[in-house]
């Protein structure tokens, strides 16, 4: 799957590769270290840049105003 912006695709691939290796080789063995944090931060910054350029950030803000996360009842089963 591609990223929201083609400029983020390489960072997404690097993060996906890192995460998959970490998950299989460390997390499933009980190691919860955060090996992919640096690449995740770079990917997240790229994503948010694209979100702002496409004015999607306003949609996110509006949605959060309409239905804030703190109103979600996580004890209910769907």
């Amino acid at each position: 799957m591609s990223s929201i912006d083609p400029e983020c695709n390489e960072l997404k691939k690097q993060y996906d590769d890192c995460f998959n290796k970490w998950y299989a080789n460390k997390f499933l063995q009980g190691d919860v270290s955060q090996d992919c944090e640096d690449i995740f931060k770079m990917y997240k910054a790229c994503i948010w840049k694209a979100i702002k350029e496409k004015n999607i950030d306003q949609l996110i803000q509006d949605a959060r105003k309409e239905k804030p996360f703190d109103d979600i009842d996580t004890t209910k089963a769907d």
Side-chain angles (χ1 to χ4, degrees), residues 38-49:
D38 292 340
I39 191 68
F40 177 73
K41 286 179 181 178
M42 290 187 290
Y43 177 52
K44 182 179 173 183
C46 187
I47 293 297
W48 274 104
K49 179 179 178 256

Side-chain angles (χ1 to χ4, degrees), residues 2-37:
S2 295
S3 185
I4 190 170
D5 189 307
E7 289 186 24
C8 302
N9 282 344
E10 183 57 33
L11 286 170
K12 181 185 183 316
K13 181 184 179 321
Q14 290 175 25
Y15 175 70
D16 286 348
D17 290 346
C18 182
F19 178 85
N20 289 333
K21 287 177 191 172
W22 169 82
Y23 185 80
N25 299 323
K26 293 193 176 180
F27 180 76
L28 292 177
Q29 311 326 319
D31 183 349
V32 294
S33 61
Q34 298 186 11
D35 295 357
C36 305
E37 187 173 3

